Amino acid sequence: MRSANPIPKKKNAPPPPSIQERKGVGFKTATNRSIYPRGVPVAIEGIQAEGKRATAGLIMTTEGDPSLSAKVLQLVLLSTYWGMQIWVTFISSFVMDSHLNRHTFGLIQSRLVPFYLHLGSLCAFLNLTLFAVYHPADLLDDREAFQIGVYFLCVSVAAVNAQWFGQMTSEIMADMHLMEQAQGLGQDIGLSTNREAYAKLCETDGRYRRLSGRLWLYRLLSSLCNICCITCNAYSLYYLAENLTSL
């Protein structure tokens, strides 16, 4: 005789999902915020947001907002190089030429100019490095790209002048001074005095004539390089002044 309330049969429990099923249906792992105690997910999200803000701030500082020390350093380097150029090119040369004899003037120039050229090359290289660090190539606009090109041109020309033209000028001048001393020349004040004696030495001595021609060529090339660097630094100062917010 059948019971009035039959006992229902137990259904078999479904098998656990496989790894593929977990990936396909979005199986809940330990990363689900519902398994954490109350308040923990909010704290984790806050830490992640703070880390993202710190990273973004670091990138912004590196790319477009240099520190005050970097600004001061670039200003010091650029003004130092510019001041040396004005002093050596337009002031000291004319003062020494009008007060010193030919050989003393040449001796001072042979010691002063190489130091000036190498120090200028260093200043130009550090200016380029500072500007490139805070202006990544993929974020440059047209003005910044032109400015970094100006810095690169100044570094290249200054390095060539320091390593080649300026060095050759000093060496040729030293050889010519020895030949002039043998003829009793070189004690006259100024480079424009007693030209007849030096012209006669060029006519009678072929080696002195060749050295004189090479000296004129290297002086011309060195002067052109110096003028190029002066122009580059003048534009860099203009660019720097243009980007100042106030005095």
Side-chain angles (χ1 to χ4, degrees):
M1 189 172 176
R2 293 183 179 180
S3 176
N5 295 320
I7 299 174
K9 295 181 179 180
K10 294 182 179 181
K11 296 182 180 180
N12 296 329
S18 63
I19 296 177
Q20 290 79 8
E21 291 174 346
R22 293 178 184 181
K23 293 181 179 179
V25 301
F27 186 76
K28 294 182 180 180
T29 62
T31 58
N32 195 331
R33 61 183 295 167
S34 62
I35 68 174
Y36 291 105
R38 182 178 299 178
V40 173
V42 177
I44 294 176
E45 291 177 356
I47 294 173
Q48 292 175 346
E50 187 66 25
K52 290 180 180 179
R53 284 195 296 268
T55 304
L58 178 61
I59 294 174
M60 182 180 299
T61 300
T62 304
E63 291 176 351
D65 190 15
S67 62
L68 179 61
S69 59
K71 294 178 181 179
V72 171
L73 180 58
Q74 187 175 36
L75 182 61
V76 168
L77 291 171
L78 189 58
S79 59
T80 299
Y81 193 12
W82 172 260
M84 287 193 306
Q85 288 176 323
I86 299 301
W87 177 260
V88 173
T89 305
F90 301 108
I91 300 177
S92 65
S93 297
F94 291 100
V95 172
M96 289 190 295
D97 178 52
S98 59
H99 292 83
L100 300 177
N101 62 63
R102 189 184 186 96
H103 284 181
T104 304
F105 174 73
L107 179 62
I108 294 176
Q109 289 289 83
S110 65
R111 299 295 185 270
L112 177 64
V113 171
F115 179 79
Y116 152 71
L117 294 177
H118 283 87
L119 184 58
S121 301
L122 178 62
C123 291
F125 175 76
L126 293 177
N127 271 325
L128 173 63
T129 302
L130 280 173
F131 192 85
V133 165
Y134 291 99
H135 296 82
D138 53 343
L139 299 179
L140 292 177
D141 57 20
D142 293 338
R143 290 293 305 278
E144 293 171 344
F146 185 78
Q147 178 60 34
I148 204 169
V150 170
Y151 279 130
F152 182 78
L153 176 62
C154 186
V155 171
S156 302
V157 174
V160 170
N161 198 10
Q163 295 295 328
W164 183 251
F165 299 143
Q167 187 68 27
M168 292 299 297
T169 300
S170 299
E171 293 177 0
I172 294 173
M173 188 182 300
D175 293 338
M176 293 180 64
H177 284 179
L178 293 176
M179 301 177 68
E180 291 169 356
Q181 288 176 359
Q183 300 295 325
L185 300 175
Q187 299 303 315
D188 38 293
I189 302 297
L191 300 178
S192 58
T193 58
N194 201 13
R195 288 189 174 184
E196 296 80 7
Y198 295 100
K200 184 178 180 180
L201 182 60
C202 285
E203 295 175 358
T204 57
D205 194 326
R207 183 170 179 268
Y208 184 84
R209 182 171 58 252
R210 289 190 298 270
L211 289 176
S212 179
R214 292 179 61 193
L215 179 64
W216 181 87
L217 176 62
Y218 283 114
R219 270 183 173 172
L220 175 63
L221 295 175
S222 181
S223 299
L224 291 177
C225 290
N226 192 47
I227 292 173
C228 179
C229 290
I230 290 175
T231 305
C232 290
N233 285 335
Y235 180 83
S236 298
L237 285 172
Y238 172 80
Y239 177 85
L240 189 64
E242 192 178 28
N243 287 275
L244 288 176
T245 55
S246 62
L247 293 177

